[in-house]
Amino acid sequence: MRITWHGHACFSIQKTDGYTVVIDPHDGHSIGLPRPDVKADLILVTHDHFDHNAVDIVKKNGTRVIKELRGEAMVGDIVVKGIKTYHDKFGGRRRGENTVYIIGVEGLKIAHLGDLGHIPSESVLEELSKADIVMIPVGGVYTIAPDEAWDIANRIKPRITIPMHYWISGLTLPLHTLEDFLSYVKKFRVERVGKNYIDVEASKLPSENTIIVFKL
């Protein structure tokens, strides 16, 4: 399958048969980035904020949209699990709830942490430790800080960690940079792929914990 980063927290997961899942679409211009150039069969929204919920941008006829899922849902042969977390360190009193999604697709478990704003409970960390690939916010300000992101990644140890939700050229949100996050990274290998996508399959994951850095 192909995982593509469309900037900020927006990713698409395209199965080998072409079926496409898009997570947290933005509209581009509202945050100073190009709009996502993808159409979804399934859209997952982690929380209802403008830079994560632009479903009309990637929607087409027949698209299914899932928001605020709690528990599991089967969508064709894809298993989607939604876990309630918070957008802040105060039980959601400042920024509301956030959904962590764990997607079971083509023999892989892929977790997208949305705008996670706190260190999750041990039970949530245990669930995340089962994921092969984790997309984690590292830019702070509205989410976990760069050092907290590394703490979570180091505790759950996915085979592939994909940083997201950090400042890049053009972005109008005042986030920390990727390098702020990478300054905390120890033990994991860092691979800069020089493009905005990777092709992955269950039998060919890296043998060591790897941080994949995309280029938009």
Side-chain angles (χ1 to χ4, degrees):
M1 79 184 78
R2 175 164 292 187
I3 297 174
T4 303
W5 183 47
H6 302 277
H8 205 42
C10 181
F11 289 85
S12 60
I13 302 167
Q14 185 180 48
K15 294 173 54 188
T16 51
D17 65 5
Y19 188 94
T20 301
V21 181
V22 174
I23 312 167
D24 278 5
H26 58 80
D27 68 2
H29 67 86
S30 293
I31 59 173
L33 298 180
R35 65 190 292 173
D37 183 19
V38 63
K39 293 298 179 184
D41 297 288
L42 172 65
I43 301 172
L44 304 179
V45 177
T46 63
H47 63 291
D48 215 16
H49 287 177
F50 77 97
D51 53 336
H52 294 255
N53 68 355
V55 297
D56 288 343
I57 297 296
V58 299
K59 200 173 181 181
K60 63 182 181 180
N61 288 337
T63 298
R64 180 171 178 181
V65 180
I66 294 179
K67 297 183 178 183
E68 298 179 358
L69 176 67
R70 302 291 179 258
E72 287 190 357
M74 285 292 300
V75 184
D77 60 356
I78 298 173
V79 181
V80 182
K81 183 171 187 177
I83 303 171
K84 183 176 79 171
T85 56
Y86 299 103
H87 201 322
D88 54 53
K89 293 177 172 61
F90 307 97
R93 292 190 295 275
R94 289 190 177 177
R95 297 193 180 96
E97 293 181 358
N98 174 72
T99 303
V100 165
Y101 287 110
I102 301 176
I103 306 155
V105 54
E106 294 193 347
L108 291 170
K109 285 190 174 182
I110 301 172
H112 187 292
L113 306 194
D115 267 8
L116 181 67
H118 62 103
I119 302 295
S121 66
E122 289 299 324
S123 62
V124 174
L125 289 172
E126 184 177 351
E127 284 291 322
L128 292 175
S129 70
K130 302 171 186 175
D132 304 290
I133 300 171
V134 173
M135 301 155 178
I136 186 168
V138 303
V141 184
Y142 309 107
T143 68
I144 50 175
D147 60 325
E148 294 172 316
W150 165 244
D151 179 50
I152 292 170
N154 191 42
R155 289 168 73 176
I156 63 177
K157 292 181 169 56
R159 299 286 287 278
I160 294 176
T161 300
I162 301 176
M164 65 176 184
H165 208 276
Y166 55 86
W167 188 86
I168 59 174
S169 180
L171 185 70
T172 55
L173 300 174
L175 304 181
H176 288 281
T177 67
L178 172 69
E179 301 307 320
D180 292 332
F181 166 68
L182 293 179
S183 69
Y184 292 99
V185 171
K186 301 176 179 65
K187 296 181 284 185
F188 286 20
R189 183 172 68 93
V190 177
E191 181 179 350
R192 299 176 186 265
V193 297
K195 54 191 178 185
N196 72 328
Y197 68 89
I198 55 169
D199 294 320
V200 296
E201 56 183 284
S203 63
K204 295 183 179 179
L205 291 174
S207 58
E208 59 182 308
N209 303 108
T210 300
I211 293 173
I212 297 290
V213 176
F214 288 123
K215 182 178 181 180
L216 192 62

